[in-house]
Amino acid sequence: MVNLPSEQITINLGPQHPSTHGVFRLRVTLDGEVITDVEPIFGYLHRGTEKLAEERTYTQIVTLTDRLDYTSSMINNQAYVLAVEKLAGVTVPPRGQYLRVLTAELQRIASHLMGVGFFLQDLGASGTPLMYCFRERERILDLFEMLCGARVTVSYMRPGGVFQEPPPEFWPAVRHLLDTTPDAIAELERLISENEIVLARTKGVGVLTKEKAIDSAVSGPNLRASGVAWDLRKADPYDVYADMDFAVPVGSNGDSYDRFLVRVMEVHQSIRIAEQCYRDMPGGPVRSELPFFFRPPPGDAYAHVEASKGELGFYLVSDGGIAPYRCKIRSPSFINLTVLAEMLIGWKVADLMVIFGSLDVNMGEVDR
Amino acid sequence: MPYGLGIAKGMMVTLRNLVRKPVTVQYPEQRVAQHHRFRGEDFVWYEERCTGCASCAKYCPQGIIKIVTAPSGEMTQEGEKYKLEVFDIEIARCMFCGLCVEACPYDALHMGSGFERARPRQSDLVITVDELKASAKKPSTWFRPQLQDRGYDPFQPGDDVSWQDAGREKSVAPTYEEMLQRWVQGR
Amino acid sequence: MESPFDRNGLFSGLYGFFADLTPESFAWLAYLLAGVVVVFIVINGVMLLTAFETYMERRVLGRFQTRLGPNRVGPFGLLQPFADVFKLLIKEDLRPAMADRLTFFLAPVLMVAAILLVAAVVPFGPNTFLADLNIGVLFIVGIPTIATVAMFLGGWGSGNRFALLGAARAVAMLISYEVPMIVSLAGVLLLAGSMSLVDVVEAQRLPFIVLQPLGFFVFLVAASAEMNRSPFDLMEAESELTAGFHTEFSGIRFGLLQLAEFGELVIISAVLAVIFVSGWQNPFVSPDYAQWLPGQLWFLLKLVFFLLLFTWIRATLPRMRVDQVMAFAWKALFPLAIINTLVTAVLVVAWPEPEYGQLWIMAAINWAVAIACLVLFSRFLERHRERPTASVQLVEIPAEAS
Ligand code: SF4
Ligand code: SF4
């Protein structure tokens, strides 16, 4: 047997790489194709959101939260305004709460579609599933444009409700969307979820065990795919989620495929919730009047929501001024990313992107 | 799913989409419809309505509105109106959040509907007071329910909004009779 | 001895034309001129087809994804490939400092040369070919392997680790897929009794796709791996290796690599059309009957059909992993090709001179074998017995009182 000399090579995936979902860098050590060491390096997208928040009034911070996880701005808005309302002791009129839940669920659909689309893109599908996902997402963004004039950075919610009554044409548009989206999702499932190549690439790949997931405080679809039935919309209902009737998809293997499928099934549940909001939408004002510059009493408050990526929490400390004394953001992507290195070792380069894509992290939220 | 049937199903899905109408449009010639609430650039500002209160500048999270006022010597009877010497909006840093519009107490500032103001230099991306005065008066209906209720559409040609119509109140300019009432007969 | 050019109508016509012009003793000159003209026509024809193919692929892929696709340059965007080439030509030709000068220069040239060489033996129509090589089939599976060497040179020579990984994948994979590809053609050769592609076309009283379904399947899959197409586009897997072996190439070198890649697609589609759907003949009737259309047109139609088929596959399928690709070649394709060869051999021995009716019986047997094999193999390779979507279940959780 000839003793061939061989050595490991280190490659930098990112910060500019076709599939790192933002500006993220992975320094990977490879033995041939097999990953032996991973060092995630982030911070390229750091904008100092938490510090900026100390310089902004409570209303102005809403615009900052749009830019955390830019694929689900509505849910970020919601988490933040819930924290402010807790801090200031404001109640929200029911119509405002329903509108928030409706838009948050639509945003969840859009975000999951994007997550699934990019996951499949990482699998090497040449853009087709991504395009189909974007086609559906685009229709949801059209609704947001109707509501608040912007498609991505919505700034739709305000402490005390939502910013304005939706225009009259919004309701038929929602009806149309709710009628047609299930078919479009079903088409996507036909395209992908039983495809043999997808199965071979994702089944059993990148397993995150239940214990490991709980120990690392992983949340959201990634946690549920590992077999933990935990959803903040059920465990600590906010707004009107307590009145909503929906089920939570829970995986059993914790592999990439389960994470993917949990997202797809959550889309169906989100449609169900949006359907109920549409049906039960109460009348009345959408916003309880708060002055633009208001001073909550000194104290602190933490509010968390089930964002599309996991548990998103805002911790605000007020010193009685017009701006928070401290704002801490618990971003789900950042914490979900902590398990990445461990999940990758032993897999091949091709699996790296699959596992990373299946975690569905958003760098805007990781670096803040 | 044995026998490659999953792949076959997927192939049928793509084939069905082949005969669908494309969802994209060829941009400069065709455009997708924008909603009249679209928050875009080219702010619409009514000099006649603006009092120079600078609420918009104060509410802007980015702090990019620069206002310099001076006494104008106009409308001294009603309380002298300020003259806006500088009203610069540095839209290179604007995020079109619309908080300035939400803040304006006199409905003088409105969002526009444009999105095509790309310039090679950042310093060109400042909307000055002269530009604001000269720009087409086609406000977006964002946070302006009065425009929305009127069925006004910013994308219709020749549907400009005059400063008297832009406000939430019935009619801003007092009529001659009202002026008489207020200043002659009432005394 | 029969010259390989005797059956070539295009060449002999041109030779006659130039021979009339030149004096008797300058016959070699006429020969040379005719040769140059024919080569010129074929190379440019293939290049034009390739340019058209890049346009068609982008356009059709766009429609698969319900997009518009390129439509700006010229009517319907038809001039897009020329705009692309022009853009690549005026771009700076970068060479990384770590790159090996010779291999970096050689790789794109070698790759294009290898692909264009294959065009020499492909019959584009009756009497429309460059050479009727009597080992044509061997030639078309052998020569593209040079492109593999070029890929490796390019990947190794550019001094980039992504490129190196891509190159290593290329070598490993292409060598594996050569084997089932060649063996899958054995059945065809047994039926045709000749390795000349012209003979293969003329032997197809019934298109070989009917007689050799298994062989066709294996060849189709192996060929798409060979020419680096989805789902086997590992060596330039853009979501993993940015661009694989051609990460560092830019400007016209990149253009040449793209030309080689799409050129290979065109050539392989042409070969598929020639070997499996009876080339320039009408595939729906036996060659004894009317052909309906000129041979060249039939050929072009079949070529476009295969190009569209490859685009369709690319539009649908994600990429496989490198070890799965290898396993697929050795565990599935290779045995299938062997079985196909054995069954065909038995049939050929049983009916050395089959009648038209007997051909249909052969076809029926082959189809039965093909379906049985596919079912058995997918059973054998299946890893998940239950429905894959069963791993995620909906759970009803009662909402806590807040
Ligand atoms: S839209 Fe927002 S960022 Fe732009 S000027 Fe108004 S308040 Fe400032
Ligand atoms: S635009 Fe409105 S807010 Fe700004 S200075 Fe004028 S009146 Fe005040």
Side-chain angles (χ1 to χ4, degrees), chain A residues 10 17 19 33 122 126 128 132 194 200-201 248 250 252 258, chain C residues 64-65 161 169 239-240 314-315 319 321 324 387 391 393 395:
Chain A
T10 305
H17 188 272
S19 49
E33 287 255 346
D122 290 349
S126 42
T128 313
Y132 293 173
E194 285 174 358
R201 286 294 302 278
V248 177
V250 175
S252 51
D258 280 9
Chain C
F64 270 121
Q65 301 172 354
R161 285 165 186 174
R169 285 181 178 188
S239 63
E240 300 148 24
R314 174 168 169 202
R319 186 180 308 121
R321 200 171 61 200
Q324 291 161 349
R387 234 182 132 73
S391 61
Q393 296 293 340
V395 180

PDB file of all heavy atoms in Angstrom, chain A residues 10 17 19 33 122 126 128 132 194 200-201 248 250 252 258, chain C residues 64-65 161 169 239-240 314-315 319 321 324 387 391 393 395:
ATOM      1  N   THR A  10      -8.689  24.144   3.996  1.00  0.00           N
ATOM      2  CA  THR A  10      -9.636  25.066   4.626  1.00  0.00           C
ATOM      3  C   THR A  10     -10.194  25.972   3.548  1.00  0.00           C
ATOM      4  O   THR A  10      -9.437  26.559   2.778  1.00  0.00           O
ATOM      5  CB  THR A  10      -8.925  25.914   5.681  1.00  0.00           C
ATOM      6  OG1 THR A  10      -8.299  25.029   6.591  1.00  0.00           O
ATOM      7  CG2 THR A  10      -9.909  26.790   6.408  1.00  0.00           C
ATOM      8  N   HIS A  17     -21.017  34.462  -1.010  1.00  0.00           N
ATOM      9  CA  HIS A  17     -21.173  33.101  -1.511  1.00  0.00           C
ATOM     10  C   HIS A  17     -22.612  32.972  -1.954  1.00  0.00           C
ATOM     11  O   HIS A  17     -23.498  33.547  -1.335  1.00  0.00           O
ATOM     12  CB  HIS A  17     -20.833  32.095  -0.410  1.00  0.00           C
ATOM     13  CG  HIS A  17     -20.788  30.682  -0.880  1.00  0.00           C
ATOM     14  ND1 HIS A  17     -21.909  29.904  -0.910  1.00  0.00           N
ATOM     15  CD2 HIS A  17     -19.784  29.925  -1.361  1.00  0.00           C
ATOM     16  CE1 HIS A  17     -21.576  28.715  -1.394  1.00  0.00           C
ATOM     17  NE2 HIS A  17     -20.307  28.701  -1.679  1.00  0.00           N
ATOM     18  N   SER A  19     -24.921  30.971  -1.558  1.00  0.00           N
ATOM     19  CA  SER A  19     -26.005  30.462  -0.714  1.00  0.00           C
ATOM     20  C   SER A  19     -25.715  30.629   0.762  1.00  0.00           C
ATOM     21  O   SER A  19     -25.914  29.712   1.531  1.00  0.00           O
ATOM     22  CB  SER A  19     -26.282  29.010  -1.040  1.00  0.00           C
ATOM     23  OG  SER A  19     -25.089  28.296  -1.047  1.00  0.00           O
ATOM     24  N   GLU A  33     -14.032  15.621   0.750  1.00  0.00           N
ATOM     25  CA  GLU A  33     -15.319  16.308   0.722  1.00  0.00           C
ATOM     26  C   GLU A  33     -15.936  16.388   2.109  1.00  0.00           C
ATOM     27  O   GLU A  33     -16.989  16.970   2.289  1.00  0.00           O
ATOM     28  CB  GLU A  33     -16.289  15.563  -0.207  1.00  0.00           C
ATOM     29  CG  GLU A  33     -15.983  15.720  -1.667  1.00  0.00           C
ATOM     30  CD  GLU A  33     -16.943  16.675  -2.351  1.00  0.00           C
ATOM     31  OE1 GLU A  33     -17.977  16.997  -1.771  1.00  0.00           O
ATOM     32  OE2 GLU A  33     -16.626  17.104  -3.471  1.00  0.00           O
ATOM     33  N   ASP A 122     -30.711  25.820  -2.477  1.00  0.00           N
ATOM     34  CA  ASP A 122     -29.448  25.283  -1.988  1.00  0.00           C
ATOM     35  C   ASP A 122     -29.280  23.825  -2.360  1.00  0.00           C
ATOM     36  O   ASP A 122     -28.169  23.328  -2.466  1.00  0.00           O
ATOM     37  CB  ASP A 122     -29.379  25.418  -0.461  1.00  0.00           C
ATOM     38  CG  ASP A 122     -29.230  26.850  -0.052  1.00  0.00           C
ATOM     39  OD1 ASP A 122     -28.975  27.678  -0.940  1.00  0.00           O
ATOM     40  OD2 ASP A 122     -29.378  27.148   1.131  1.00  0.00           O
ATOM     41  N   SER A 126     -32.612  24.454 -10.104  1.00  0.00           N
ATOM     42  CA  SER A 126     -32.151  25.667 -10.778  1.00  0.00           C
ATOM     43  C   SER A 126     -33.218  26.750 -10.789  1.00  0.00           C
ATOM     44  O   SER A 126     -33.668  27.180 -11.831  1.00  0.00           O
ATOM     45  CB  SER A 126     -31.705  25.341 -12.187  1.00  0.00           C
ATOM     46  OG  SER A 126     -32.609  24.445 -12.776  1.00  0.00           O
ATOM     47  N   THR A 128     -36.389  26.894 -10.081  1.00  0.00           N
ATOM     48  CA  THR A 128     -37.814  26.713 -10.324  1.00  0.00           C
ATOM     49  C   THR A 128     -38.642  26.750  -9.041  1.00  0.00           C
ATOM     50  O   THR A 128     -39.585  27.544  -8.950  1.00  0.00           O
ATOM     51  CB  THR A 128     -38.065  25.414 -11.094  1.00  0.00           C
ATOM     52  OG1 THR A 128     -37.152  25.358 -12.174  1.00  0.00           O
ATOM     53  CG2 THR A 128     -39.468  25.354 -11.599  1.00  0.00           C
ATOM     54  N   TYR A 132     -41.436  29.630  -7.911  1.00  0.00           N
ATOM     55  CA  TYR A 132     -42.829  29.353  -7.558  1.00  0.00           C
ATOM     56  C   TYR A 132     -43.143  29.899  -6.168  1.00  0.00           C
ATOM     57  O   TYR A 132     -44.234  30.425  -5.929  1.00  0.00           O
ATOM     58  CB  TYR A 132     -43.111  27.841  -7.591  1.00  0.00           C
ATOM     59  CG  TYR A 132     -43.029  27.230  -8.972  1.00  0.00           C
ATOM     60  CD1 TYR A 132     -43.114  25.866  -9.154  1.00  0.00           C
ATOM     61  CD2 TYR A 132     -42.874  28.023 -10.094  1.00  0.00           C
ATOM     62  CE1 TYR A 132     -43.030  25.299 -10.416  1.00  0.00           C
ATOM     63  CE2 TYR A 132     -42.782  27.479 -11.351  1.00  0.00           C
ATOM     64  CZ  TYR A 132     -42.858  26.120 -11.511  1.00  0.00           C
ATOM     65  OH  TYR A 132     -42.765  25.576 -12.746  1.00  0.00           O
ATOM     66  N   GLU A 194     -42.119  14.763  -2.540  1.00  0.00           N
ATOM     67  CA  GLU A 194     -41.892  13.319  -2.692  1.00  0.00           C
ATOM     68  C   GLU A 194     -40.838  13.023  -3.743  1.00  0.00           C
ATOM     69  O   GLU A 194     -40.653  11.879  -4.148  1.00  0.00           O
ATOM     70  CB  GLU A 194     -43.202  12.618  -3.024  1.00  0.00           C
ATOM     71  CG  GLU A 194     -44.076  12.511  -1.793  1.00  0.00           C
ATOM     72  CD  GLU A 194     -45.431  11.956  -2.078  1.00  0.00           C
ATOM     73  OE1 GLU A 194     -45.716  11.692  -3.256  1.00  0.00           O
ATOM     74  OE2 GLU A 194     -46.182  11.771  -1.135  1.00  0.00           O
ATOM     75  N   ALA A 200     -33.465  11.773  -0.914  1.00  0.00           N
ATOM     76  CA  ALA A 200     -32.122  11.233  -0.705  1.00  0.00           C
ATOM     77  C   ALA A 200     -31.195  12.282  -0.126  1.00  0.00           C
ATOM     78  O   ALA A 200     -30.306  11.973   0.661  1.00  0.00           O
ATOM     79  CB  ALA A 200     -31.571  10.707  -2.025  1.00  0.00           C
ATOM     80  N   ARG A 201     -31.416  13.538  -0.512  1.00  0.00           N
ATOM     81  CA  ARG A 201     -30.517  14.580  -0.034  1.00  0.00           C
ATOM     82  C   ARG A 201     -30.842  15.031   1.389  1.00  0.00           C
ATOM     83  O   ARG A 201     -29.974  15.561   2.069  1.00  0.00           O
ATOM     84  CB  ARG A 201     -30.609  15.817  -0.945  1.00  0.00           C
ATOM     85  CG  ARG A 201     -29.959  15.687  -2.270  1.00  0.00           C
ATOM     86  CD  ARG A 201     -28.475  15.555  -2.175  1.00  0.00           C
ATOM     87  NE  ARG A 201     -27.797  16.647  -1.496  1.00  0.00           N
ATOM     88  CZ  ARG A 201     -27.471  17.794  -2.048  1.00  0.00           C
ATOM     89  NH1 ARG A 201     -27.766  18.024  -3.293  1.00  0.00           N
ATOM     90  NH2 ARG A 201     -26.837  18.708  -1.358  1.00  0.00           N
ATOM     91  N   VAL A 248     -50.398  22.295  15.459  1.00  0.00           N
ATOM     92  CA  VAL A 248     -48.971  22.564  15.323  1.00  0.00           C
ATOM     93  C   VAL A 248     -48.301  21.341  14.697  1.00  0.00           C
ATOM     94  O   VAL A 248     -48.407  20.250  15.241  1.00  0.00           O
ATOM     95  CB  VAL A 248     -48.354  22.861  16.702  1.00  0.00           C
ATOM     96  CG1 VAL A 248     -46.864  23.065  16.574  1.00  0.00           C
ATOM     97  CG2 VAL A 248     -48.996  24.073  17.314  1.00  0.00           C
ATOM     98  N   VAL A 250     -45.517  18.786  14.083  1.00  0.00           N
ATOM     99  CA  VAL A 250     -44.366  18.366  14.872  1.00  0.00           C
ATOM    100  C   VAL A 250     -43.685  17.212  14.152  1.00  0.00           C
ATOM    101  O   VAL A 250     -44.342  16.250  13.766  1.00  0.00           O
ATOM    102  CB  VAL A 250     -44.797  17.943  16.288  1.00  0.00           C
ATOM    103  CG1 VAL A 250     -43.610  17.401  17.056  1.00  0.00           C
ATOM    104  CG2 VAL A 250     -45.402  19.103  17.029  1.00  0.00           C
ATOM    105  N   SER A 252     -40.570  14.151  13.680  1.00  0.00           N
ATOM    106  CA  SER A 252     -40.132  13.075  14.545  1.00  0.00           C
ATOM    107  C   SER A 252     -38.636  12.805  14.426  1.00  0.00           C
ATOM    108  O   SER A 252     -38.032  12.296  15.350  1.00  0.00           O
ATOM    109  CB  SER A 252     -40.911  11.802  14.231  1.00  0.00           C
ATOM    110  OG  SER A 252     -40.862  11.543  12.843  1.00  0.00           O
ATOM    111  N   ASP A 258     -37.551  17.010   7.770  1.00  0.00           N
ATOM    112  CA  ASP A 258     -38.619  17.361   8.711  1.00  0.00           C
ATOM    113  C   ASP A 258     -38.715  18.866   8.884  1.00  0.00           C
ATOM    114  O   ASP A 258     -39.807  19.427   8.968  1.00  0.00           O
ATOM    115  CB  ASP A 258     -38.378  16.695  10.068  1.00  0.00           C
ATOM    116  CG  ASP A 258     -38.827  15.251  10.050  1.00  0.00           C
ATOM    117  OD1 ASP A 258     -39.150  14.775   8.950  1.00  0.00           O
ATOM    118  OD2 ASP A 258     -38.843  14.619  11.119  1.00  0.00           O
TER     119      ASP A 258
ATOM    120  N   PHE C  64     -40.663  27.857 -17.949  1.00  0.00           N
ATOM    121  CA  PHE C  64     -40.932  26.830 -16.938  1.00  0.00           C
ATOM    122  C   PHE C  64     -41.119  27.482 -15.574  1.00  0.00           C
ATOM    123  O   PHE C  64     -41.884  27.019 -14.745  1.00  0.00           O
ATOM    124  CB  PHE C  64     -39.768  25.838 -16.857  1.00  0.00           C
ATOM    125  CG  PHE C  64     -39.899  24.667 -17.780  1.00  0.00           C
ATOM    126  CD1 PHE C  64     -38.950  24.401 -18.736  1.00  0.00           C
ATOM    127  CD2 PHE C  64     -40.975  23.816 -17.686  1.00  0.00           C
ATOM    128  CE1 PHE C  64     -39.061  23.328 -19.583  1.00  0.00           C
ATOM    129  CE2 PHE C  64     -41.107  22.748 -18.526  1.00  0.00           C
ATOM    130  CZ  PHE C  64     -40.150  22.494 -19.486  1.00  0.00           C
ATOM    131  N   GLN C  65     -40.379  28.548 -15.349  1.00  0.00           N
ATOM    132  CA  GLN C  65     -40.470  29.229 -14.060  1.00  0.00           C
ATOM    133  C   GLN C  65     -41.447  30.385 -14.115  1.00  0.00           C
ATOM    134  O   GLN C  65     -41.410  31.265 -13.262  1.00  0.00           O
ATOM    135  CB  GLN C  65     -39.075  29.723 -13.662  1.00  0.00           C
ATOM    136  CG  GLN C  65     -38.094  28.592 -13.572  1.00  0.00           C
ATOM    137  CD  GLN C  65     -36.689  29.065 -13.369  1.00  0.00           C
ATOM    138  OE1 GLN C  65     -36.412  30.245 -13.395  1.00  0.00           O
ATOM    139  NE2 GLN C  65     -35.783  28.134 -13.150  1.00  0.00           N
ATOM    140  N   ARG C 161      -9.392  26.762  -4.318  1.00  0.00           N
ATOM    141  CA  ARG C 161      -9.816  25.503  -3.690  1.00  0.00           C
ATOM    142  C   ARG C 161     -11.196  25.065  -4.145  1.00  0.00           C
ATOM    143  O   ARG C 161     -11.478  23.881  -4.244  1.00  0.00           O
ATOM    144  CB  ARG C 161      -9.766  25.638  -2.181  1.00  0.00           C
ATOM    145  CG  ARG C 161      -8.344  25.602  -1.705  1.00  0.00           C
ATOM    146  CD  ARG C 161      -8.229  26.077  -0.302  1.00  0.00           C
ATOM    147  NE  ARG C 161      -6.828  26.148   0.070  1.00  0.00           N
ATOM    148  CZ  ARG C 161      -6.429  26.654   1.213  1.00  0.00           C
ATOM    149  NH1 ARG C 161      -7.303  27.108   2.059  1.00  0.00           N
ATOM    150  NH2 ARG C 161      -5.159  26.705   1.500  1.00  0.00           N
ATOM    151  N   ARG C 169     -14.230  16.434  -8.321  1.00  0.00           N
ATOM    152  CA  ARG C 169     -15.538  15.817  -8.552  1.00  0.00           C
ATOM    153  C   ARG C 169     -15.699  15.439 -10.014  1.00  0.00           C
ATOM    154  O   ARG C 169     -16.231  14.380 -10.338  1.00  0.00           O
ATOM    155  CB  ARG C 169     -16.637  16.796  -8.182  1.00  0.00           C
ATOM    156  CG  ARG C 169     -16.836  16.960  -6.723  1.00  0.00           C
ATOM    157  CD  ARG C 169     -17.965  17.935  -6.526  1.00  0.00           C
ATOM    158  NE  ARG C 169     -18.278  18.122  -5.123  1.00  0.00           N
ATOM    159  CZ  ARG C 169     -19.316  18.812  -4.717  1.00  0.00           C
ATOM    160  NH1 ARG C 169     -20.115  19.370  -5.578  1.00  0.00           N
ATOM    161  NH2 ARG C 169     -19.556  18.942  -3.435  1.00  0.00           N
ATOM    162  N   SER C 239     -24.497  26.345  -5.710  1.00  0.00           N
ATOM    163  CA  SER C 239     -24.865  26.659  -4.332  1.00  0.00           C
ATOM    164  C   SER C 239     -23.823  26.127  -3.359  1.00  0.00           C
ATOM    165  O   SER C 239     -23.838  26.471  -2.202  1.00  0.00           O
ATOM    166  CB  SER C 239     -26.244  26.106  -4.002  1.00  0.00           C
ATOM    167  OG  SER C 239     -26.251  24.718  -4.089  1.00  0.00           O
ATOM    168  N   GLU C 240     -22.919  25.278  -3.822  1.00  0.00           N
ATOM    169  CA  GLU C 240     -21.894  24.769  -2.917  1.00  0.00           C
ATOM    170  C   GLU C 240     -20.526  25.356  -3.259  1.00  0.00           C
ATOM    171  O   GLU C 240     -19.858  25.941  -2.430  1.00  0.00           O
ATOM    172  CB  GLU C 240     -21.816  23.235  -3.023  1.00  0.00           C
ATOM    173  CG  GLU C 240     -23.124  22.565  -2.673  1.00  0.00           C
ATOM    174  CD  GLU C 240     -23.322  21.299  -3.453  1.00  0.00           C
ATOM    175  OE1 GLU C 240     -22.333  20.705  -3.900  1.00  0.00           O
ATOM    176  OE2 GLU C 240     -24.469  20.886  -3.646  1.00  0.00           O
ATOM    177  N   ARG C 314     -33.679  19.928 -16.290  1.00  0.00           N
ATOM    178  CA  ARG C 314     -32.958  20.912 -15.496  1.00  0.00           C
ATOM    179  C   ARG C 314     -33.926  21.794 -14.713  1.00  0.00           C
ATOM    180  O   ARG C 314     -33.647  22.190 -13.579  1.00  0.00           O
ATOM    181  CB  ARG C 314     -32.102  21.769 -16.418  1.00  0.00           C
ATOM    182  CG  ARG C 314     -31.455  22.873 -15.675  1.00  0.00           C
ATOM    183  CD  ARG C 314     -30.402  23.554 -16.468  1.00  0.00           C
ATOM    184  NE  ARG C 314     -30.027  24.758 -15.752  1.00  0.00           N
ATOM    185  CZ  ARG C 314     -29.452  25.801 -16.308  1.00  0.00           C
ATOM    186  NH1 ARG C 314     -29.162  25.776 -17.576  1.00  0.00           N
ATOM    187  NH2 ARG C 314     -29.167  26.843 -15.593  1.00  0.00           N
ATOM    188  N   ALA C 315     -35.068  22.094 -15.328  1.00  0.00           N
ATOM    189  CA  ALA C 315     -36.020  22.968 -14.650  1.00  0.00           C
ATOM    190  C   ALA C 315     -36.609  22.305 -13.426  1.00  0.00           C
ATOM    191  O   ALA C 315     -37.088  22.981 -12.526  1.00  0.00           O
ATOM    192  CB  ALA C 315     -37.124  23.382 -15.612  1.00  0.00           C
ATOM    193  N   ARG C 319     -30.097  18.927  -7.282  1.00  0.00           N
ATOM    194  CA  ARG C 319     -28.831  18.245  -7.527  1.00  0.00           C
ATOM    195  C   ARG C 319     -28.659  17.065  -6.576  1.00  0.00           C
ATOM    196  O   ARG C 319     -29.116  17.087  -5.448  1.00  0.00           O
ATOM    197  CB  ARG C 319     -27.715  19.257  -7.328  1.00  0.00           C
ATOM    198  CG  ARG C 319     -26.368  18.792  -7.672  1.00  0.00           C
ATOM    199  CD  ARG C 319     -25.369  19.888  -7.419  1.00  0.00           C
ATOM    200  NE  ARG C 319     -25.771  21.116  -8.067  1.00  0.00           N
ATOM    201  CZ  ARG C 319     -25.988  22.251  -7.441  1.00  0.00           C
ATOM    202  NH1 ARG C 319     -25.892  22.327  -6.149  1.00  0.00           N
ATOM    203  NH2 ARG C 319     -26.351  23.325  -8.089  1.00  0.00           N
ATOM    204  N   ARG C 321     -26.072  14.374  -4.460  1.00  0.00           N
ATOM    205  CA  ARG C 321     -24.807  14.533  -3.747  1.00  0.00           C
ATOM    206  C   ARG C 321     -23.757  13.659  -4.397  1.00  0.00           C
ATOM    207  O   ARG C 321     -24.083  12.673  -5.055  1.00  0.00           O
ATOM    208  CB  ARG C 321     -25.010  14.136  -2.289  1.00  0.00           C
ATOM    209  CG  ARG C 321     -23.975  14.677  -1.362  1.00  0.00           C
ATOM    210  CD  ARG C 321     -24.383  14.413   0.058  1.00  0.00           C
ATOM    211  NE  ARG C 321     -24.507  12.987   0.303  1.00  0.00           N
ATOM    212  CZ  ARG C 321     -25.211  12.484   1.306  1.00  0.00           C
ATOM    213  NH1 ARG C 321     -25.879  13.263   2.092  1.00  0.00           N
ATOM    214  NH2 ARG C 321     -25.269  11.193   1.478  1.00  0.00           N
ATOM    215  N   GLN C 324     -23.921   9.933  -3.762  1.00  0.00           N
ATOM    216  CA  GLN C 324     -25.136   9.336  -4.335  1.00  0.00           C
ATOM    217  C   GLN C 324     -25.007   9.191  -5.840  1.00  0.00           C
ATOM    218  O   GLN C 324     -25.468   8.211  -6.422  1.00  0.00           O
ATOM    219  CB  GLN C 324     -26.344  10.200  -4.006  1.00  0.00           C
ATOM    220  CG  GLN C 324     -26.694  10.172  -2.534  1.00  0.00           C
ATOM    221  CD  GLN C 324     -27.566  11.343  -2.149  1.00  0.00           C
ATOM    222  OE1 GLN C 324     -27.759  12.273  -2.912  1.00  0.00           O
ATOM    223  NE2 GLN C 324     -28.085  11.285  -0.937  1.00  0.00           N
ATOM    224  N   ARG C 387     -44.628   6.333   3.652  1.00  0.00           N
ATOM    225  CA  ARG C 387     -44.731   7.612   2.955  1.00  0.00           C
ATOM    226  C   ARG C 387     -43.778   8.604   3.592  1.00  0.00           C
ATOM    227  O   ARG C 387     -43.760   8.749   4.814  1.00  0.00           O
ATOM    228  CB  ARG C 387     -46.172   8.116   3.094  1.00  0.00           C
ATOM    229  CG  ARG C 387     -46.844   8.435   1.793  1.00  0.00           C
ATOM    230  CD  ARG C 387     -48.225   8.950   2.045  1.00  0.00           C
ATOM    231  NE  ARG C 387     -48.443  10.170   1.270  1.00  0.00           N
ATOM    232  CZ  ARG C 387     -48.614  10.181  -0.046  1.00  0.00           C
ATOM    233  NH1 ARG C 387     -48.582   9.061  -0.726  1.00  0.00           N
ATOM    234  NH2 ARG C 387     -48.822  11.301  -0.684  1.00  0.00           N
ATOM    235  N   SER C 391     -43.399  11.617   8.472  1.00  0.00           N
ATOM    236  CA  SER C 391     -42.548  11.900   9.620  1.00  0.00           C
ATOM    237  C   SER C 391     -42.992  13.160  10.366  1.00  0.00           C
ATOM    238  O   SER C 391     -42.579  13.379  11.492  1.00  0.00           O
ATOM    239  CB  SER C 391     -41.098  12.045   9.175  1.00  0.00           C
ATOM    240  OG  SER C 391     -40.977  13.107   8.271  1.00  0.00           O
ATOM    241  N   GLN C 393     -46.214  15.208  11.873  1.00  0.00           N
ATOM    242  CA  GLN C 393     -47.628  15.056  12.201  1.00  0.00           C
ATOM    243  C   GLN C 393     -48.167  16.347  12.790  1.00  0.00           C
ATOM    244  O   GLN C 393     -47.438  17.087  13.440  1.00  0.00           O
ATOM    245  CB  GLN C 393     -47.824  13.936  13.231  1.00  0.00           C
ATOM    246  CG  GLN C 393     -47.440  12.555  12.741  1.00  0.00           C
ATOM    247  CD  GLN C 393     -48.348  12.053  11.649  1.00  0.00           C
ATOM    248  OE1 GLN C 393     -49.465  12.532  11.497  1.00  0.00           O
ATOM    249  NE2 GLN C 393     -47.878  11.095  10.863  1.00  0.00           N
ATOM    250  N   VAL C 395     -50.160  18.253  15.544  1.00  0.00           N
ATOM    251  CA  VAL C 395     -50.484  18.000  16.942  1.00  0.00           C
ATOM    252  C   VAL C 395     -51.404  19.108  17.419  1.00  0.00           C
ATOM    253  O   VAL C 395     -51.144  20.285  17.171  1.00  0.00           O
ATOM    254  CB  VAL C 395     -49.201  17.970  17.803  1.00  0.00           C
ATOM    255  CG1 VAL C 395     -49.548  17.712  19.248  1.00  0.00           C
ATOM    256  CG2 VAL C 395     -48.246  16.924  17.290  1.00  0.00           C
TER     257      VAL C 395
END
